[in-house]
Amino acid sequence: MTTVVSLSFISKLRPIVAFQAPTSARRHFSKNANAAFGRTTFRLIPGDLESWRMTSSDDESEVQTTATTPDLETYLNKHNLDDQVFSAISADGGLKVTVATIRNLLNEMMIQHSMNPVGGDALGRATICGLLASNGMQEEQMFQISMKGDGPLRGVVSIVNGKGQARGYCGNPRLSDDFTLQEAIGSGTVQVVKNHPDWPRPYNGITGIKFGDIDRDVGIYLAESEQRSCALAAATSFNGILCTSAGGYLVERLPDCTPETMSHMEKNLGNLVQMNGEDLALPANLMLEGKTPVDIASILLDGLGMKPLNQVTPKEYCECSEDKLFRSLRLLPREEVDDVLKTEGKIEARCEFCSKVYRLGPDDVMKRFAEAEGDPSKDEDFEEELKSKATE
């Protein structure tokens, strides 16, 4: 029997927000009301999930903006062949729109974990929400979402940084498709942590799981914990175990947004619901039809003018290493390490994020212990040791 040491270097976590389709959209698309609920309006009455309030006025007057036709050549992504996170702002500076597509990234993660579609859907939505919510933060900053539910999926964790690098896992990646996503997640908490190397401590928050479909729960966190008035949607689609689309959008109301701009955006969100149709969750159908992040941002900002901000190419990235495995061993009592080596003849560990397996034999472990310096519990000592190794 082989002893497996966990390599999930995860910090503690924090909370999440949601929305509903505009009244006009619900009248025309009653069958799609459940899918749109929590994804196409902006502010919630605290403590009352059944009472969603429109933030715009009833004024139907035309928005006064300076229409712009920016050069979008840099941002084009024909047929969504590449993964992309694209962000833009309205001409009057009142709204920010961020749209992501991560089909390739999600397929890579599913291959790493031998994952079935239910787990893939959960991990995909969590990763999309993380990339959208963290857009614009510093490259070194980290944003982690964790769904701690009591369902058979046994939770899902996604971590992204400002470079668009992402990693994640779920507790039961091979869960069959006999369960819906909500059943798989179950009841529990949504936890979020944000951190930066220069911060004295991470920012942590936690809220309860209200819906279990991840994007609306993340929306609740953004509205309640970070006071970000926004509309958030994330979805995936599969053909067997192959992800055919994975993406989402985040529309954020900025401080100077006028009621007229909000009213116009709510109409555009209603149009987006209609264009997506009823077959798949918003905006999976649009992406299957070849709509790119730029296309979706253009629909959302139609009539408001669109000024591109930036784009990021999300990539799978894991920070595990043999050095981190040995650091974990140094934190254990030495007699326990010696006992494992005597019983099993080696130390074996699998990274929870990328499934890479590391193996250390007795001679390698003894040599590393003899050469080890500093306190393994201190990050600065560990980093100094890595620097000295690099210069040898």
Side-chain angles (χ1 to χ4, degrees):
M1 178 177 177
T2 301
T3 300
V4 178
V5 181
S6 173
L7 278 185
S8 69
F9 307 104
I10 310 174
S11 30
K12 296 182 181 178
L13 317 171
R14 171 152 196 148
I16 305 194
V17 330
F19 335 83
Q20 152 187 15
T23 304
S24 59
R26 294 201 305 276
R27 276 201 302 266
H28 296 297
F29 316 111
S30 57
K31 291 183 180 179
N32 204 31
N34 289 334
F37 181 86
R39 297 181 173 96
T40 56
T41 55
F42 286 75
R43 182 164 297 164
L44 132 95
I45 299 174
D48 185 358
L49 290 176
E50 299 304 319
S51 302
W52 296 89
R53 177 178 294 165
M54 306 299 283
T55 55
S56 65
S57 69
D58 294 330
D59 188 355
E60 297 290 332
S61 59
E62 197 64 31
V63 183
Q64 298 299 316
T65 62
T66 303
T68 58
T69 307
D71 182 8
L72 298 176
E73 187 68 31
T74 306
Y75 307 101
L76 296 182
N77 181 17
K78 191 174 182 181
H79 303 309
N80 283 323
L81 292 179
D82 300 317
D83 291 343
Q84 179 187 32
V85 180
F86 170 77
S87 63
I89 195 170
S90 61
D92 66 354
L95 291 166
K96 179 188 176 186
V97 173
T98 308
V99 189
T101 175
I102 64 162
R103 183 191 71 252
N104 299 321
L105 171 62
L106 183 53
N107 275 316
E108 186 174 352
M109 288 178 164
M110 291 181 68
I111 291 172
Q112 287 177 339
H113 296 283
S114 302
M115 191 175 289
N116 285 335
V118 173
D121 187 23
L123 182 56
R125 291 186 185 217
T127 303
I128 293 163
C129 290
L131 289 167
L132 293 172
S134 64
N135 180 260
M137 70 184 187
Q138 294 176 302
E139 289 189 351
E140 301 84 4
Q141 192 171 335
M142 177 271 289
F143 189 97
Q144 174 177 320
I145 296 173
S146 179
M147 304 291 293
K148 297 278 187 176
D150 60 4
L153 190 62
R154 302 204 300 270
V156 58
V157 175
S158 175
I159 301 177
V160 303
N161 61 25
K163 299 177 183 178
Q165 296 172 336
R167 64 189 191 275
Y169 68 91
C170 57
N172 185 7
R174 296 175 182 82
L175 182 67
S176 71
D177 57 5
D178 296 332
F179 299 90
T180 65
L181 178 60
Q182 289 86 346
E183 292 169 343
I185 294 292
S187 302
T189 59
V190 184
Q191 302 177 7
V192 171
V193 60
K194 296 192 289 187
N195 201 7
H196 187 281
D198 296 336
W199 293 359
R201 62 185 63 85
Y203 172 85
N204 298 299
I206 183 169
T207 58
I209 294 174
K210 304 294 195 306
F211 295 99
D213 49 16
I214 300 179
D215 55 339
R216 287 187 291 180
D217 291 313
V218 174
I220 292 171
Y221 162 77
L222 294 176
E224 293 187 346
S225 183
E226 298 189 9
Q227 291 74 54
R228 292 165 69 174
S229 181
C230 56
L232 170 66
T236 64
S237 63
F238 295 88
N239 182 3
I241 59 172
L242 176 69
C243 174
T244 53
S245 71
Y249 64 77
L250 174 66
V251 182
E252 296 186 76
R253 181 182 183 179
L254 303 181
D256 295 330
C257 185
T258 65
E260 293 77 22
T261 297
M262 280 297 300
S263 179
H264 196 96
M265 171 54 73
E266 286 161 358
K267 292 178 185 177
N268 289 348
L269 283 164
N271 292 335
L272 195 72
V273 173
Q274 183 179 15
M275 294 174 67
N276 186 76
E278 303 174 5
D279 297 337
L280 294 171
L282 190 69
N285 252 347
L286 291 171
M287 293 194 161
L288 278 176
E289 293 170 359
K291 292 289 190 298
T292 67
V294 172
D295 294 332
I296 294 175
S298 298
I299 295 168
L300 290 170
L301 290 170
D302 182 40
L304 296 172
M306 183 172 76
K307 297 179 180 179
L309 294 176
N310 66 3
Q311 67 174 341
V312 176
T313 302
K315 296 285 186 183
E316 190 278 332
Y317 174 75
C318 190
E319 297 180 337
C320 67
S321 68
E322 196 171 274
D323 290 316
K324 287 189 174 183
L325 168 60
F326 181 67
R327 182 189 185 187
S328 299
L329 294 178
R330 290 184 65 195
L331 293 171
L332 297 174
R334 180 62 185 270
E335 54 270 22
E336 289 188 17
V337 177
D338 292 339
D339 184 59
V340 171
L341 288 172
K342 182 178 179 180
T343 305
E344 309 295 341
K346 62 182 176 181
I347 298 292
E348 183 174 290
R350 180 183 62 83
C351 176
E352 288 186 302
F353 289 101
C354 68
S355 296
K356 185 175 181 179
V357 176
Y358 294 90
R359 296 179 179 88
L360 293 174
D363 294 341
D364 194 11
V365 172
M366 298 307 167
K367 180 182 177 183
R368 281 177 172 269
F369 268 114
E371 296 174 350
E373 298 178 356
D375 185 346
S377 66
K378 295 181 178 179
D379 291 341
E380 54 269 26
D381 285 6
F382 178 65
E383 291 169 4
E384 187 62 34
E385 186 176 0
L386 292 180
K387 288 179 182 177
S388 63
K389 273 189 175 184
T391 57
E392 289 178 0

